Structures are given as C-alpha cells and as structure tokens.
Amino acid sequence: MSSVNRETPPHGGRAGMKKDLPERFRDYRHVWVFIELERGEVHPVSFELLGEGRKLADKLGVELAGVVLGPTGEASWQAVAQAFAYGADLAYIVESPLLVDYRNEPFTKAMTDLVNSYKPEILLLGATMRGRDLAGSVATTLLTGLTADCTQLDVDPDGSLAATRPTFGGSLLCTIYTLNCRPQMATVRPRVMPLPQREEKPVGRVIQYKLSMLEDEIVTKVLAFLPDTQSVKANLAFADVVVAGGLGLGGAENLQVVTKLARTLGAEYGCSRPLVQKGWMPAERQIGQTGKTIRPKLYIAAGISGAIQHRVGVESADLIVAVNTDPNAPIFDFAHIGITTDAIRFLPALTEAFTRRLSPHSRDKLAS
Amino acid sequence: MHIIVCIKQVPDSAQIRVHPVTNTIMRQGVPTIINPYDLFALEAALSLRDIVGGEVTVLTMGPPMAEDALRKALTYGADRAVLLTDRFFAGSDTLATSFALSQAICKIAEAFGPPDMVFTGKQTIDGDTAQVGPGIAKRLGLLQLTYVAKIASLNLDAHEITVERRAEGGMQMLKTKFPCLITMLEGTNEIRRGSLDDALRAARSQIVKWSAADAGIEDLSKCGLRGSPTVVKRVFAPASRAVKAVQIDTADKLLRDLADELIAAIFARRPALEHELAFEGA
Ligand SMILES: Cc1cc2nc3c(=O)[nH]c(=O)nc-3n(C[C@H](O)[C@H](O)[C@H](O)COP(=O)(O)OP(=O)(O)OC[C@H]3O[C@@H](n4cnc5c(N)ncnc54)[C@H](O)[C@@H]3O)c2cc1C
Ligand SMILES: Cc1cc2nc3c(=O)[nH]c(=O)nc-3n(C[C@H](O)[C@H](O)[C@H](O)COP(=O)(O)OP(=O)(O)OC[C@H]3O[C@@H](n4cnc5c(N)ncnc54)[C@H](O)[C@@H]3O)c2cc1C
C-alpha cells in the first residue's frame, strides 16, 4: 500500500526533509558487524560484511567492531580472532550457555543490550534466516530503521548510511536512509559482497559483556537440530564454477547435458526458476533473486533468457558464458561471452572438448 | 482457537514493467494478488483450525481496494476479514506497518477474542523485507517462530507448540508456548480450492473496515511516513552493462571446433582457470 507514496514522496514530504538527529543519538558512533557463529563456525557472510564495514568505518573515520554472541569458550573466541583477521578493530563478545543454539529471545536481548550500552551508528547483519530473524526483532525493540537485503552500502558526505537494495523482484533498485534514529541497520545477503583478504593479526581490544538472562526466563527450547543431508546441501553459493540450465533445454530429459558438463568441470549445477516450478530440479538449485546468489569464477548459462530476477543472482560472477538460440536474448546484455546455438547439442560437444583439454595427457603437454 | 493471519495485497510482480525512459514503475493495469507467501500462512492456519476448531481472522492494512484480497481469503475459508485502511498509513515502512498491524490485532482481540496465534508469510514479493512478522511479534510481546516448515504438535492444555524451523544447514525442532507468532515457510503446503459454500459466504460477507481511530490508534506520529524511520530517496533501474557479450561466430562451424573456440576464449580471459579446472575436474 505504501509503495505508491514511497515512489513519489509528496512535496515537502519526509524524503525532502533535512536530517535532524535528536540529541540522544548524537553520540552514536562506530560500525558494528554481527558475527554469525553457527555450530562452531562463522558464516562467511560475516566476513563479507566486515569487508564492507571496513570501508564504511574508514570513510567515517571510526572503528569497526565485530559482535560475537555465542557459547562460553573456545568457539566464540575463535570467532573473535577471525573478526580481527577480516578487518575488525575491536570485538564485543557475549559468552553464555544460553547462546549455544540460535534462539530469538536471548540473542535479541544480548544484541539490544549491547547496542544500548555502547551505541553504534551502523549495525550490519547477514540476511540469513538467523540474521533476518534477529534483525527484525532488534530493530523493532530499538524502534529504528532496518533496510533489507542491501546490495550496496555507502556513506553520504553528511555521514549517513546510504543503503541500496533491489525491490519488486529485482527489477528496480532503491536507496534508503534511516533519518532520525540510530543505529542505522541493514542486512546483506550472502555472496552479494566480496570476501575480503584475510590477514593474520593479533587479537586486539575485546570487550566482554554479560548476558543478563537466565534459562528459566527463556520460553523457547531447542529440542533437536536435524542437519540437512548432503544432497540438500547444494554448495552453489560457494562454487567456483557453476553450470545452469533453463527452459530452453526443453525437457527434464535434457538436463543431463548440464549435469555432465558440471561433473567434468568439478562444478555445481543449478537452474532458472521455471525448472523448479516444473519439478525438474529441487528448489535449492534455483539461482536468482528468490534462489541462490552465486559468485563463481565461471558461470555457464544454457537456455536461460536472462530475466532480471535471474540476472541479479549471477551478476557478480567473474565470467559469464551464455548459450542461447536467440541472438536477442537479454542474457547477452550482461554475459561476457555469448554463443548463439542450440544448447542441447552444443553442451555435449563442450563437455567433450573440456575433457580433451583438461585430460592429464594434455596437462603434461601444457607443463612441458 | 482464534488465529489471525496477516496478508498483504501486492502487484503481480511478474507483470510489472519499468518505463524505459523514466525508469518508473508502470502500475496501470497491473493486477493485484494476495502475496503468494501469505497463502502458505493462510493454509497452515486453516488446517490448524480444521483440526482443533475455532476461527481464522484475516487482516490486511492497505488501500480500500485491498478488500479484494480479503474477499479472496474468505473464499478459501477464512471466517472473518478486517481491513485497516486510512490515509495516515500511507508511506509506512516496516516499523510503522508492524505498529499499525499490532494495534489492529489488539483491537481484534478486544472485539472478537484474543488470538492464540498470529501467522504471517515469510516475506512479500514487493517490499520483500521479511521484517513485518518479527516486528509484530516484538510489539505484541509474542514469542516468535520464523521460517516454520511444519507444526509438529500442539498441546492445547499446556499451551505448548512444537515446530520444525528451517535454519542454516538444517531444521531446528523448537518447543515454545502460544500465543506466538509464526512466519510460514513457502512450499510447505498448498492452498485449498475453497468450497462453493465459502465462495457464496465470501460474496455476502461484511468486511470489517477500520480507520486508525477505529482501531484505537491515538498516536498518529507512529503511523505512515511520520512513523517510518526509513526513507526511500531514489528508485532507479539497474544500469545495463555498457558492453554486450562478445559473440562467438557460429557460421559454418563444426560443434567440436566451436567448443574448442569457446574454451580458448574462456581461458584467454581467465588464464588461471585452466589450471584450477584441470585440478578440480574428474
Ligand atoms: C517475484 C519473482 C521472482 C523470481 N525469481 C527468480 C529467480 O530467483 N530465478 C530465476 O531464474 N527466475 C526467477 N523468476 C522468473 C523470471 O522472471 C523468469 O521467468 C525466468 O528466469 C525465466 O527462466 P528461463 O530463462 O529458464 O526461461 P525463458 O525465459 O523461457 O527462457 C528460455 C530461453 O531459452 C532459449 N532457448 C530455447 N531453446 C533453446 C535451445 N535449444 N538452446 C539454447 N537456448 C534455447 C530461448 O531463446 C530463451 O531465451 C522470478 C520471477 C518473479 C516474478
Ligand atoms: C521499493 C521499496 C523498498 C522498501 N524497502 C524497505 C526497507 O528496506 N525497510 C523497511 O522498513 N521498509 C521498506 N519498504 C516498506 C515496506 O515495503 C512496507 O513497510 C510494507 O508495508 C511492508 O513491508 P514488506 O512488504 O517488506 O513486508 P514483509 O516484511 O516482507 O512481509 C512479511 C509478512 O508480513 C505481513 N504483512 C506485510 N505487510 C502487510 C500489510 N500491509 N498488511 C497485512 N500484513 C502484512 C504478510 O503476512 C507478509 O508475508 C520498502 C518499500 C518499497 C516500495
């Protein structure tokens, strides 16, 4: 309902209003990144956010902090060390047995208490299920603005966060500001930002904070965690090479041209959305706005038209190769190399050619 | 059991077009639908009601024409529909939206009985933030269960609910108490067709329409643009890449040669790839 007004703010509406930060927010300073610790490992989106946070902090001339909420002991301190390695100047750590598994109640409490005590001006979280669950609660508790799924973060000359995000299924971008509240909060989806260089550094300043909550106060209990089976865990988001098929392949029986090429390249395979809707491939293989965002070194798209919703999920690939029978297909607008031909016939030939080129025999030749 | 389901009317995004010159959205004639994610919430609520008994109230905040979405929800079998509509709500961001909706839920509780559960969709297809569900939960002090794939069990006497919640790398089995707020994961059920009776009832039903004042909202500064900390400054279409794809000439060539040519073009641009692929490939 609101969107009509949002696109064309009424004259003299808030979009034209001068930013006028209330007194109580004036001492909010520094950039924070929520370090997502899950089952002993840090979610890579946290490192990607530290990379972005570093740039924002440098522009603002402030510090970058990693916020670790986790179980007491080793794993949480490992996460702190990693935050430093990926660019943090300092870290906040809340260690508690209540923070072993993610639950909304203790995590929201820990994060909001930290914010109220140490007052950051910017707080970034991954747009993972955990990050979105937490961000929505924290922003509402603090009554501040939260911009979802940003693809670009920057600071204006006046120091405010300019958060750009796609909307309407990715067909448009908009830049959003949080005017008169602090912290300015934003989430970013995994793989949207590049992974920064890791640099071994000694652990710097760490601020330890105590969670003022008891297990008895938490209503929600985790009964079990059922890890996904391997087949569900398509590692698309992190694959170096991805081969994907679209409706142009004509039928489920032709998908093997994609999977065979993927196998030859040690790649992951994926698809456009209609293939999931037709039941030709499982949902976790879908690439695009409502599927996975990928950042491979090489992306080969066969029989995919290149709709905007698909495009936003693949655009950060280093090299995009498109195979399509239609020379005017939109995918050729953003692919780097195009080949106008029938993918069903061409992909097997390509698989064979790669096999020839990459076989140990030809590798020896290459070495000599 | 009284269940409230929040639904949003959205433009059918598959049909949105962007004006090629002005880069604005061309809304004229774009049909509206119930946000597809909300249908999973609605079906989950209806099935729960069918099992344990009770009522399902659907709630939307939107312009007067959002009534269409509510009527549609009634045809699926919802018992009651409430439309929260007022010009003071225009321009709401998620914080202002969750405020208005939570106030309306309090009013529904007063008028029709307190809810045992509130359902929302995972996210919408237009705003696409997934923030309104957690926002409502926090404002009403309800326990929050997001990305719920399945309601595993319900203990009405103890007010206990167990759910499977999708999480990174697996499913969490969570036990909590209701009243609670559930955001339903997509693909977890299929909306029913709705009976002829429901269709007839929907056509006759009176939809409850509340203004901000009707819903008992006194503090209008928490509504609409004024109550929204975020402001959209610019809306624009993504820049198109200046250079189009370099096309490999396919005329009169054998597939085999074409394939070799493509591989050469790939490695010419990314020399490091050749070694990596040779190493990774089977
Ligand atoms: C809210 C929303 C979210 C969406 N999210 C996603 C998403 O996450 N991911 C996604 O992919 N889509 C998404 N979509 C759908 C998207 O708009 C497109 O409909 C979809 O990407 C098209 O899939 P396709 O390219 O496989 O099919 P088509 O658009 O039908 O394209 C098929 C292409 O194959 C070519 N072709 C035909 N025969 C051959 C052949 N023998 N060899 C080679 N080429 C051939 C044709 O020229 C054509 O270009 C979303 C849509 C909406 C509304
Ligand atoms: C281009 C654009 C970008 C935007 N970006 C942001 C942003 O980054 N941050 C921000 O705070 N706001 C943003 N908004 C505003 C936001 O879209 C509105 O506040 C909207 O009313 C609710 O957000 P949503 O559509 O994202 O809903 P979600 O939070 O994605 O919706 C989750 C669920 O809440 C329920 N729900 C949502 N809206 C209603 C409603 N009106 N009535 C009943 N139930 C509802 C539905 O069950 C839905 O499935 C943006 C709006 C536009 C047009």
Side-chain angles (χ1 to χ4, degrees):
Chain A
M1 63 150 295
S2 56
S3 41
V4 179
N5 272 290
R6 285 187 156 257
E7 284 142 32
T8 49
H11 244 23
R14 294 197 22 145
M17 215 161 93
K18 221 174 98 30
K19 294 162 205 159
D20 186 19
L21 199 62
E23 189 61 42
R24 69 199 151 103
F25 293 128
R26 300 248 165 100
D27 58 341
Y28 278 62
R29 196 143 273 122
H30 308 302
V31 178
W32 286 13
V33 169
F34 171 51
I35 306 296
E36 233 178 274
L37 183 59
E38 49 177 61
R39 260 150 272 290
E41 275 186 52
V42 175
H43 194 295
V45 73
S46 307
F47 305 143
E48 294 157 20
L49 285 176
L50 284 167
E52 286 308 296
R54 184 71 264 163
K55 290 182 220 160
L56 299 176
D58 288 346
K59 274 191 192 163
L60 288 164
V62 300
E63 288 182 315
L64 173 68
V67 180
V68 175
L69 314 178
T72 313
E74 174 78 16
S76 296
W77 285 93
Q78 279 292 335
V80 165
Q82 301 220 56
F84 282 100
Y86 283 101
D89 300 311
L90 79 156
Y92 294 89
I93 181 170
V94 185
E95 291 175 272
S96 162
L98 277 53
L99 300 172
V100 172
D101 287 298
Y102 176 77
R103 284 177 295 175
N104 180 271
E105 296 158 75
F107 275 75
T108 301
K109 170 90 177 135
M111 186 59 98
T112 48
D113 284 356
L114 267 180
V115 167
N116 285 327
S117 307
Y118 296 98
K119 306 181 192 307
E121 61 193 296
I122 293 175
L123 170 57
L124 307 177
L125 303 94
T128 55
M129 283 172 277
R130 169 195 306 237
R132 283 175 150 204
D133 184 278
L134 179 62
S137 295
V138 170
T140 312
T141 311
L142 299 169
L143 298 175
T144 190
L146 170 59
T147 306
D149 292 1
C150 302
T151 51
Q152 224 179 307
L153 297 169
D154 206 349
V155 284
D156 272 12
D158 72 354
S160 44
L161 178 70
T164 298
R165 61 170 305 225
T167 51
F168 293 103
S171 52
L172 289 175
L173 296 172
C174 64
T175 304
I176 295 182
Y177 292 85
T178 291
L179 284 193
N180 300 329
C181 300
R182 290 294 179 270
Q184 306 160 88
M185 291 179 59
T187 63
V188 177
R189 289 178 63 180
R191 306 302 278 162
V192 165
M193 304 296 183
L195 191 67
Q197 250 335 342
R198 187 190 160 95
E199 208 182 301
E200 286 324 316
K201 276 196 304 191
V203 166
R205 197 150 51 91
V206 179
I207 296 172
Q208 287 177 267
Y209 191 84
K210 205 169 162 308
L211 177 65
S212 54
M213 207 177 202
L214 300 170
E215 182 60 47
D216 289 349
E217 300 170 56
I218 304 173
V219 184
T220 306
K221 309 289 174 197
V222 180
L223 301 183
F225 183 82
L226 317 167
D228 291 333
T229 55
Q230 211 54 38
S231 65
V232 183
K233 262 195 237 162
N235 215 355
L236 261 182
F238 295 97
D240 279 339
V241 181
V242 175
V243 186
L247 271 186
L249 294 179
E253 69 282 4
N254 291 327
L255 293 183
Q256 38 106 4
V257 302
V258 165
T259 50
K260 278 189 180 153
L261 177 57
R263 199 175 324 129
T264 302
L265 297 176
E268 277 290 348
Y269 63 91
C271 64
S272 63
R273 186 167 81 160
L275 272 57
V276 172
Q277 289 168 330
K278 285 182 181 292
W280 297 354
M281 272 205 207
E284 62 272 8
R285 299 244 174 224
Q286 181 185 319
I287 299 170
Q289 172 76 17
T290 45
K292 296 278 186 337
T293 303
I294 59 171
R295 297 184 75 91
K297 294 174 178 163
L298 173 63
Y299 176 54
I300 302 177
I304 293 179
S305 61
I308 186 76
Q309 294 89 356
H310 189 80
R311 175 176 173 170
V312 295
V314 305
E315 227 169 359
S316 7
D318 290 344
L319 188 66
I320 301 174
V321 174
V323 187
N324 197 303
T325 41
D326 175 7
N328 296 316
I331 195 154
F332 292 132
D333 292 345
F334 61 94
H336 302 92
I337 303 176
I339 182 156
T340 306
T341 190
D342 176 1
I344 304 163
R345 290 179 56 233
F346 179 67
L347 254 48
L350 186 61
T351 306
E352 229 172 81
F354 265 121
T355 311
R356 259 184 280 125
R357 177 107 182 204
L358 301 173
S359 72
H361 176 66
S362 59
R363 238 184 295 157
D364 291 347
K365 260 197 329 212
L366 205 79
S368 65
Chain B
M1 174 166 280
H2 185 197
I3 307 174
I4 297 179
V5 185
C6 298
I7 63 170
K8 187 184 183 190
Q9 188 183 49
V10 295
D12 188 350
S13 70
Q15 311 203 30
I16 287 185
R17 296 282 172 276
V18 180
H19 192 283
V21 179
T22 59
N23 277 348
T24 50
I25 305 168
M26 303 194 289
R27 284 173 171 276
Q28 282 81 355
V30 177
T32 57
I33 50 173
I34 296 180
N35 175 40
Y37 291 99
D38 299 349
L39 295 177
F40 302 108
L42 181 58
E43 178 56 38
L46 293 172
S47 337
L48 207 55
R49 175 204 63 186
D50 292 349
I51 296 166
V52 301
E55 284 186 325
V56 170
T57 302
V58 281
L59 165 67
T60 195
M61 176 182 89
M65 72 166 190
E67 185 178 334
D68 297 348
L70 291 173
R71 234 173 253 290
K72 183 81 191 170
L74 291 174
T75 67
Y76 291 127
D79 300 284
R80 178 187 302 113
V82 177
L83 171 63
L84 185 63
T85 186
D86 202 311
R87 65 192 170 86
F88 291 115
F89 299 133
S92 297
D93 72 355
T94 55
L95 196 70
T97 300
S98 70
F99 173 73
L101 289 173
S102 59
Q103 293 288 302
I105 289 169
C106 292
K107 187 71 189 180
I108 290 173
E110 228 178 274
F112 308 110
D116 299 286
M117 282 179 206
V118 177
F119 277 81
T120 73
K122 183 182 93 173
Q123 65 195 67
T124 65
I125 61 169
D126 59 346
D128 188 21
T129 64
Q131 288 167 195
V132 171
I136 295 172
K138 188 44 78 186
R139 287 187 180 274
L140 293 174
L142 296 175
L143 294 155
Q144 161 180 332
L145 298 167
T146 52
Y147 306 101
V148 170
K150 190 175 158 194
I151 296 173
S153 72
L154 208 59
N155 182 334
L156 293 176
D157 298 325
H159 277 236
E160 271 173 5
I161 178 171
T162 359
V163 301
E164 287 178 20
R165 171 181 184 266
R166 176 122 283 289
E168 272 71 36
M171 284 285 184
Q172 263 187 333
M173 288 284 286
L174 292 178
K175 181 161 121 183
T176 196
K177 297 248 182 194
F178 57 87
C180 60
L181 180 134
I182 292 178
T183 83
M184 205 65 198
L185 196 67
E186 74 276 16
T188 46
N189 57 39
E190 203 170 324
I191 189 74
R192 59 195 58 197
R193 291 185 53 124
S195 66
L196 188 60
D197 276 355
D198 286 326
L200 293 172
R201 193 176 46 83
R204 285 196 311 265
S205 278
Q206 198 65 32
I207 287 188
V208 181
K209 287 180 200 152
W210 286 340
S211 65
D214 295 336
I217 298 177
E218 283 158 15
D219 190 353
L220 291 174
S221 74
K222 291 184 178 158
C223 299
L225 271 181
R226 279 171 74 201
S228 299
T230 66
V231 159
V232 179
K233 271 279 176 80
R234 272 194 310 278
V235 181
F236 53 101
S240 56
R241 193 172 282 179
V243 265
K244 285 200 159 207
V246 171
Q247 286 282 349
I248 306 245
D249 184 11
T250 54
D252 306 322
K253 279 184 199 151
L254 294 173
L255 281 179
R256 182 191 158 114
D257 296 340
L258 214 53
D260 284 336
E261 204 179 318
L262 175 59
I263 293 171
I266 291 172
F267 292 154
R269 282 173 181 249
R270 300 275 152 188
L273 260 180
E274 175 148 19
H275 296 280
E276 289 170 26
L277 286 179
F279 188 70
E280 276 187 34

